[in-house]
Amino acid sequence: MSANTPKAGLTYPSLADVPNVPSNMQTLAGQLDNVVIPKYASSAAQSTANPSPTKGDLCYRTDLSGFQYYDGSAWETIVPGAWQTYSPSWGSSGTAPSIGNGTITGRYMIFGKTVTFNIVMVFGSTTNFGTGTYSFGLPLTTITRLNAQWPGAAFAVNVGTAVYPGTVYLTSNATAAGVYSPTGTGGSSNAQWGNTVPFTFTATSNLSLQGTYEIP
């Protein structure tokens, strides 16, 4: 008669069992499938490998830097417990900017399906500010059902002159954020930040933005 391991309850043959290595291996492999925590690089890879998850399934997502469990209807991310670093992109609607000898750093933390992020940019003497309006890369894509939202704040510093506040702007299924500032004394209209908004950026300028949003 087969026996079971004391902790995981894995079945193994006893001396009284009829020898059948293929059957025993298949039984053990099937049971280990429920014990070993798989690793996936993305949501797509996760869905391909486990298209019909059952409640209680676990996995590790390398793109999220955290574990996930299936609650019976959706995958939920287990808080990794620490801030993660990433390299934000810096784009524009016109000529592409480049950071040069400046720095751009990004950090984020996941709590369930909520992401909090922070981006800090310090410009240098060889920074190329490009043209047009700016976009700043997010650590993870926003949810599809996210309508236009203002989930965070930004600050641009014209060193020795002034500090300009702004508001982070996100849309559905977005991989980057924009920043807007009100124009005019009434604040009834706004302008998206770019190479000349809220002021003409120079090598002594810097900016930061942070926000919180939902992920799929």
Side-chain angles (χ1 to χ4, degrees), residues 2 7 10 20 27 32 89 98-99 128 142-143 146 163 175 182 213:
S2 297
K7 292 184 179 179
L10 300 178
N20 192 333
T27 298
L32 286 176
S89 61
S98 60
I99 196 65
N128 183 337
T142 66
I143 58 172
L146 178 74
V163 177
T175 57
Y213 63 95

Side-chain angles (χ1 to χ4, degrees), residues 68-201:
Q68 287 194 316
Y69 69 93
Y70 193 72
D71 65 4
S73 60
W75 287 99
E76 299 290 345
T77 302
I78 302 173
V79 182
W83 283 85
Q84 310 291 318
T85 59
Y86 79 106
S87 299
S89 61
W90 181 27
S92 74
S93 62
T95 303
S98 60
I99 196 65
N101 62 355
T103 60
I104 175 170
T105 57
R107 300 170 69 241
Y108 71 101
M109 178 180 282
I110 304 171
F111 187 90
K113 290 184 176 295
T114 300
V115 171
T116 298
F117 74 99
N118 173 268
I119 299 172
V120 176
M121 301 181 67
V122 179
F123 304 122
S125 59
T126 62
T127 297
N128 183 337
F129 295 95
T131 61
T133 56
Y134 290 155
S135 61
F136 307 93
L138 298 170
L140 297 165
T141 304
T142 66
I143 58 172
T144 301
R145 63 180 180 275
L146 178 74
N147 295 319
Q149 291 190 12
W150 307 88
F155 294 91
V157 180
N158 190 2
V159 177
T161 302
V163 177
Y164 297 80
T167 304
V168 175
Y169 176 79
L170 293 178
T171 57
S172 177
N173 199 36
T175 57
V179 178
Y180 286 78
S181 291
T183 58
T185 57
S188 58
S189 59
N190 58 72
Q192 186 173 356
W193 284 12
N195 62 309
T196 60
V197 179
F199 58 90
T200 299
F201 287 97

Side-chain angles (χ1 to χ4, degrees), residues 13-32:
S14 68
L15 293 175
D17 290 335
V18 177
N20 192 333
V21 174
S23 177
N24 294 335
M25 292 293 291
Q26 185 177 18
T27 298
L28 180 60
Q31 292 177 326
L32 286 176

